[in-house]
Amino acid sequence: MRSGLKEHRLPPAKESLKERIEFSKWIKIMTERTGRRRAGREGGGREGRRVARENSVVKQAAFIERKIPYLEYLSEESLQLIEDNADILLEEIGIDFLDDPEALDMWREAGADVQGTRVHFPKGLCRSIIQASAPAEYVQHARNPERNVIIGGKRTVLVPAYGSPFVHDIDKGRRYATIEDFNNFVKLAYMAPGMHHSGGTICEPVDLPVNKRHFDMVYSHFKYSDKPLMGSVTHYERAQDSVDMAKLVFGDEFVDQNCVMTSLINVNSPMTYDATMLGSLKVYARNNQATVISPFILAGAMSPVTTAGTVTQILAEALAGIAFTQLCRPGAPVIFGTFAAAVSMATGAPTFGTPEPSQVIYAAAALARRLGVPFRSGGGLCGSKLPDAQAAYEAANTLQTSALAGVNFMLHTAGWLEGGLAMGYEKFIMDCDQASMIAVLLGGMDMSENGQALDAVREVGPGKHFLGSAHTLRNFETAFYRSTVADNNSYEQWQADGSLDAAQRANGLWKQMLNDYQAPAMDPAVDEALLDFMARRKGSFEDRDY
């Protein structure tokens, strides 16, 4: 058969449509045969395919090892100018630390000029504190050690979207999220090869009391996934509950000496840290857990309308917060974060996937590398209300910018709709497909002897195709990325398969994934301890909606 394949010529342009369709069918048959051979090696037939599907979870890469250069958007002179301007902002204008006398005392002791709630920082103070102790990279441990991630350096960790009060799917439309939705997304993230992290508040389960829902969210991450997770930040007591639950899983001493949880600390831009974020920051940092210090910017409203001015403000805000983590506990893991979108000057609405936020990401990533700490930004951001072309274009623009810029912790990688107000089931699947492509892109080009493929060129020679060459058959199963969502069949085959668009195909995929889901093993004693802790803590105070 191999020799016959070698002689099969590609149908030239003048060949009939029927011949072209027949050639496409041949390609499909070869793919199916390869799939059957692979399934047969793993147990045979339907059972083999089932085993392969279940084993796909444990074969996921824990994170991406970057093997390509960073895209450096700004010159050395431009980056230095932004750093100098950030120092001016910190010293002359200052940063507010609201309703936290302890934080003000800590800054006063560190050498800052504190006037009321406003902290003014002598030039270089924040940078010197950070570079004295903040780690350039660190390990976040997962319940399953095979899922441990390294955050920083030339690694990229892809994380689901965060914080949406609504969910959306094409069957039921937009609706308030529930704990069932939350559990579903934890399960989907666990199964998705492109996701390295379970995330945090993937969506807000509004059917639970505001002051108690954090218990159920943290438990869901521990119960339904064994990937790393994020803790609650909406109150310092909820942050402490998150850490205490982690101690039940990992042990007190292990948590004190290792990072097992990451938290998102948003700056109340412009230039303000509020008591809620400071309280949670102190809990996590003092417990040696990671914080993402992330200025939350809608440029034009919460920062200047220019990208250089926005990046300057981002750097100043981040420097103050990152340095504060080191005052709480030197060596505590910390990430330089940024969330930057632009505001439409016509409507005031936030926009996504446009060139200016990409400029911000490129610049901020370079500044984080110069500072010597990991960087967070990016994701599949979009303003679209549906998993449509707008959602795809805007998300792809931000995802690829973040990958090329050198983002280490990519929050909002999958699921984001409607400017973050909704978590989309179909959008999650579509974004996960893009996430897997990012891994291939950052993995670089194969320059091995097999990658050079000179043996294939010698074998085939001029005028024939490579489909039946020994090199092609040897690499057939792994050659080129194969999208789980895209349809590249002929028009006729697409019609025969139901004429589905990408969102409809994604709809079937997430339903099948949830149907196939199997929970990772958990020690029953740990599970019982978590449930007991939750019951005792929930019973110790009244339900509140704030």
Side-chain angles (χ1 to χ4, degrees):
M1 183 180 75
R2 184 171 295 183
S3 60
L5 290 174
K6 285 176 59 177
E7 296 303 318
H8 191 105
R9 302 293 294 251
L10 286 168
K14 64 181 180 181
E15 295 287 354
S16 67
L17 174 61
K18 181 179 179 181
E19 289 173 307
R20 288 170 175 266
I21 293 171
E22 289 300 317
F23 184 73
S24 297
K25 289 180 179 177
W26 176 83
I27 294 289
K28 185 176 182 181
I29 289 169
M30 282 299 298
T31 303
E32 290 175 346
R33 285 178 179 173
T34 302
R36 286 197 293 270
R37 286 199 300 273
R38 182 168 60 246
R41 288 196 298 270
E42 293 169 341
R46 181 178 297 176
E47 179 63 16
R49 289 191 291 276
R50 183 190 66 79
V51 171
R53 184 174 64 241
E54 291 176 2
N55 288 344
S56 67
V57 174
V58 299
K59 293 177 182 176
Q60 297 175 19
F63 51 88
I64 299 171
E65 289 274 9
R66 184 189 191 91
K67 298 179 182 177
I68 65 171
Y70 303 110
L71 195 158
E72 298 290 359
Y73 194 80
L74 293 180
S75 66
E76 165 71 24
E77 292 76 16
S78 295
L79 292 170
Q80 185 63 59
L81 180 60
I82 290 171
E83 290 175 342
D84 291 342
N85 288 343
D87 282 338
I88 292 172
L89 190 158
L90 286 168
E91 188 167 25
E92 294 185 6
I93 300 169
I95 306 288
D96 275 342
F97 282 71
L98 300 181
D99 302 319
D100 194 328
E102 182 189 26
L104 298 174
D105 288 342
M106 292 167 67
W107 275 122
R108 194 176 289 110
E109 186 177 343
D113 177 18
V114 179
Q115 301 177 15
T117 61
R118 184 73 53 85
V119 181
H120 297 264
F121 307 86
K123 182 176 180 180
L125 174 64
C126 291
R127 189 174 293 270
S128 65
I129 292 171
I130 294 165
Q131 294 180 336
S133 61
E137 60 184 53
Y138 64 92
V139 175
Q140 183 182 349
H141 293 264
R143 186 162 69 82
N144 177 357
E146 293 183 1
R147 309 282 199 201
N148 293 352
V149 295
I150 302 175
I151 298 175
K154 292 191 173 183
R155 292 105 178 172
T156 299
V157 174
L158 303 182
V159 190
Y162 183 108
S164 301
F166 299 98
V167 294
H168 178 277
D169 66 65
I170 61 176
D171 300 313
K172 300 177 183 177
R174 182 185 191 258
R175 61 194 185 280
Y176 279 109
T178 66
I179 190 60
E180 180 182 3
D181 292 306
F182 188 94
N183 294 340
N184 284 344
F185 280 113
V186 171
K187 294 173 183 178
L188 291 172
Y190 168 66
M191 297 182 74
M195 292 294 103
H196 309 117
H197 203 280
S198 195
T201 306
I202 300 184
C203 58
E204 285 279 357
V206 299
D207 55 334
L208 299 178
V210 171
N211 63 329
K212 295 183 180 180
R213 63 179 61 153
H214 64 286
F215 294 110
D216 299 86
M217 290 189 283
V218 172
Y219 176 75
S220 178
H221 283 298
F222 277 132
K223 176 69 174 179
Y224 300 118
S225 177
D226 59 7
K227 294 182 178 181
L229 72 152
M230 301 176 73
S232 177
V233 296
T234 53
H235 191 280
Y236 74 89
E237 290 182 349
R238 298 166 198 169
Q240 189 62 58
D241 286 332
S242 301
V243 172
D244 290 343
M245 291 177 74
K247 289 179 179 179
L248 294 174
V249 175
F250 294 96
D252 291 15
E253 184 177 353
F254 189 89
V255 170
D256 184 67
Q257 297 302 313
N258 298 276
C259 176
V260 302
M261 192 166 275
T262 295
S263 60
L264 177 62
I265 306 299
N266 279 323
V267 184
N268 194 356
S269 302
M271 296 167 285
T272 302
Y273 283 85
D274 61 44
T276 298
M277 290 291 99
L278 287 172
S280 294
L281 182 159
K282 289 189 289 187
V283 168
Y284 284 111
R286 285 170 174 165
N287 281 279
N288 199 32
Q289 301 308 301
T291 51
V292 183
I293 307 301
S294 198
F296 189 93
I297 300 288
L298 297 178
M302 299 154 72
S303 73
V305 295
T306 62
T307 52
T310 294
V311 174
T312 298
Q313 181 182 314
I314 287 171
L315 177 58
E317 292 176 354
L319 283 168
I322 295 170
F324 187 65
T325 68
Q326 301 308 294
L327 297 184
C328 293
R329 178 165 173 168
V334 61
I335 302 172
F336 180 151
T338 180
F339 175 89
V343 168
S344 168
M345 292 291 100
T347 66
T351 61
F352 302 91
T354 53
E356 293 82 7
S358 290
Q359 292 176 337
V360 171
I361 292 172
Y362 285 128
L367 292 166
R369 285 193 291 275
R370 288 160 67 91
L371 185 60
V373 294
F375 180 60
R376 167 258 161 158
S377 193
L381 309 182
C382 70
S384 181
K385 318 310 179 278
L386 299 170
D388 57 8
Q390 178 187 343
Y393 277 121
E394 292 176 351
N397 284 346
T398 312
L399 287 167
Q400 292 194 27
T401 290
S402 301
L404 295 174
V407 169
N408 300 116
F409 189 84
M410 196 185 297
L411 192 59
H412 307 315
T413 296
W416 177 288
L417 276 176
E418 199 185 336
L421 287 175
M423 184 75 174
Y425 278 86
E426 290 80 22
K427 178 67 160 41
F428 186 88
I429 299 301
M430 295 162 72
D431 288 338
C432 284
D433 190 36
Q434 293 292 312
S436 294
M437 295 188 200
I438 286 173
V440 177
L441 176 68
L442 295 183
M445 188 179 294
D446 178 10
M447 297 304 296
S448 66
E449 183 177 346
N450 180 70
Q452 296 170 56
L454 286 176
D455 58 329
V457 180
R458 290 190 180 104
E459 178 186 347
V460 175
K464 298 179 182 179
H465 66 75
F466 287 78
L467 288 170
S469 72
H471 182 271
T472 298
L473 294 175
R474 191 167 64 246
N475 291 276
F476 191 85
E477 296 185 30
T478 57
F480 310 124
Y481 178 79
R482 303 185 190 189
S483 172
T484 57
V485 176
D487 184 295
N488 297 299
N489 290 322
S490 66
Y491 183 82
E492 290 77 9
Q493 185 60 53
W494 173 75
Q495 280 187 315
D497 291 338
S499 305
L500 304 179
D501 63 22
Q504 290 170 323
R505 291 191 293 275
N507 178 268
L509 286 170
W510 71 257
K511 291 175 180 176
Q512 187 63 51
M513 289 173 70
L514 290 179
N515 182 68
D516 293 345
Y517 169 81
Q518 293 186 10
M522 174 184 266
D523 183 340
V526 171
D527 193 14
E528 183 178 350
L530 287 169
L531 292 171
D532 179 68
F533 174 82
M534 291 165 60
R536 286 188 291 104
R537 285 286 292 130
K538 284 183 178 182
S540 67
F541 51 89
E542 298 293 327
D543 294 358
R544 293 198 311 267
D545 289 328
Y546 58 92

